[in-house]
Amino acid sequence: MDDYQKYFGETHNMVRDTVRKFVEREIKPHVDEWEEQGEFPRDLYARAGAAGILGIGYPEACGGSGGDLFVKIAATEELMRCGSGGVAAGLGSLDIGIPPILALGTEEQKSRMAPPVFRGERISALGITEPDAGSDVANVRTRAVRKDDHYVVNGSKMFITSGARADQLTCAVRTGGEGYGGISLLVIDADTPGYSVSEKLKKMGWWASDTAQIFFDDCRVPVENLLGDEGQGFYGIMKNFQNERLQLAIMANMTAQMALEESLRYARERRAFNRPLTGFQVTRHKLADMATRVEASREFTYRVAARIGVGENQVKEISMAKNFACLVSDRVTYDAVQIHGGFGYMREYLVERLYRDNRILSIGGGTQEIMKEIISKMIL
Ligand SMILES: Cc1cc2nc3c(=O)[nH]c(=O)nc-3n(C[C@H](O)[C@H](O)[C@H](O)COP(=O)(O)OP(=O)(O)OC[C@H]3O[C@@H](n4cnc5c(N)ncnc54)[C@H](O)[C@@H]3O)c2cc1C
């Protein structure tokens, strides 16, 4: 990591070390079991909270552990080292659930809704997607009708990360007319009567994270849980996307990095036709291409992050970084499985999981195609 001193200094390295030790001690020994079980223990949130890990990158005034964008990046990279995108996504669902609260919430809402999540006592999730509205966020149909000091919410949310056991859902609802101007954000407690959750959805990857559909049936939510004003929801969602896309780019880069490392190791050890795989030029060149792609993507993502960090508008660039990182991780995980031959198809090899976990990264947080729509609008 010496090459990255320009982005990461002493504080970043200390945080990186803390998260690395936590991952080595608390996650890695159990991760295969949790993947097979389809979830990790709930008390992992509390342990990560007690170690200050959940609050990394969030202001101390809001109960966070502080730190800039690169502190958060270092933490995410180390968390990904656990080898399970599902654990990273599940523990990290607060990274999409909490930012709208901090961006739009009052001081009272921030102090009520954020610190228990950073301590790992409550689980936060984000509910935007619906069965009939994914990419087309402005078409959200879950309706919230104001009655006195409550909103009565009816509808449902689809594919929600940590949805099965979240305690609070930062949720996009329609309080007004058609289109983006009619959308608001409500924080809905999971113990509200009328709130129910499906069975955990069975997925291609991210096995250790719980993903669920959530239903609202005359769910009465106090008006104190409205974030910002009515109609500000779309703005809150879009603001969140920049952060989510950066995190997804980092996840893709780390997936590719780990796939490369596994492949380098395997290609040195595995022998065929009386020589190690590295004895074949085709394998060496494949590894060279993988390393080049990983390096280029990581550098580009860091550069975009640095610009976000100093407050520059990077909507186009972060869309490019997410897409590029996902193209790289698609290709590198594919090649990693290929280099591993039949063993690459077996569950005990990390590349098998990296290959599956990777697939969601170019769908979640805005698909490849939606990123291209954003980029093309900005360059044309
Ligand atoms: C494991 C997992 C976890 C998730 N976690 C969450 C979560 O925590 N919270 C949450 O709110 N959502 C979550 N999602 C939902 C995710 O964000 C959506 O799946 C994603 O935004 C795409 O929406 P969709 O599935 O409805 O696909 P659609 O929008 O129906 O898209 C289908 C296809 O059509 C393409 N398409 C759509 N519109 C256009 C267009 N204008 N131009 C070109 N192509 C287009 C898409 O790119 C895609 O290829 C999760 C999904 C998964 C699978």
Side-chain angles (χ1 to χ4, degrees), residues 21-133:
K21 284 181 181 147
F22 183 84
V23 166
E24 290 290 335
R25 194 180 61 240
E26 304 281 354
I27 304 181
K28 267 197 172 168
H30 314 288
V31 83
D32 293 344
E33 193 188 328
W34 296 345
E35 277 284 310
E36 295 294 329
Q37 284 171 355
E39 71 177 23
F40 57 87
R42 192 185 160 102
D43 74 2
L44 188 64
Y45 288 96
R47 279 180 271 144
I53 288 171
L54 299 182
I56 288 173
Y58 295 100
E60 287 167 86
C62 300
S65 314
D68 62 12
L69 205 49
F70 279 90
V71 167
K72 182 72 189 167
I73 289 172
T76 302
E77 289 180 344
E78 291 307 318
L79 193 54
M80 284 297 288
R81 285 265 173 212
C82 78
S84 159
V87 171
L91 266 188
S93 63
L94 70 99
D95 290 325
I96 48 178
I98 290 293
I101 298 173
L102 301 186
L104 295 179
T106 61
E107 290 310 312
E108 184 279 324
Q109 287 172 326
K110 289 183 208 172
S111 58
R112 177 161 53 92
M113 297 168 175
V117 173
F118 295 138
R119 289 197 297 270
E121 293 161 8
R122 283 172 67 80
I123 301 172
S124 166
L126 177 73
I128 309 290
T129 307
E130 300 185 351
D132 294 316

Side-chain angles (χ1 to χ4, degrees), residues 96 126-129 134-135 159-161 203 360 363 365 367 369-370:
I96 48 178
L126 177 73
I128 309 290
T129 307
S135 304
F159 305 141
I160 304 308
T161 301
K203 308 188 288 295
I360 182 58
I363 297 171
T367 63
E369 293 75 18
I370 294 301

Side-chain angles (χ1 to χ4, degrees), residues 81 253-265 287 290 294 329 331-337 339-340 350-351 354-355:
R81 285 265 173 212
N253 290 338
M254 278 310 289
T255 302
Q257 172 71 33
M258 289 186 287
L260 170 65
E261 289 168 9
E262 292 297 305
S263 302
L264 289 168
R265 185 162 42 238
L287 290 165
M290 290 161 81
V294 170
S329 62
R331 182 62 198 260
V332 171
T333 53
Y334 181 92
D335 286 343
V337 171
I339 286 173
H340 280 70
L350 179 59
V351 291
L354 294 173
Y355 181 79

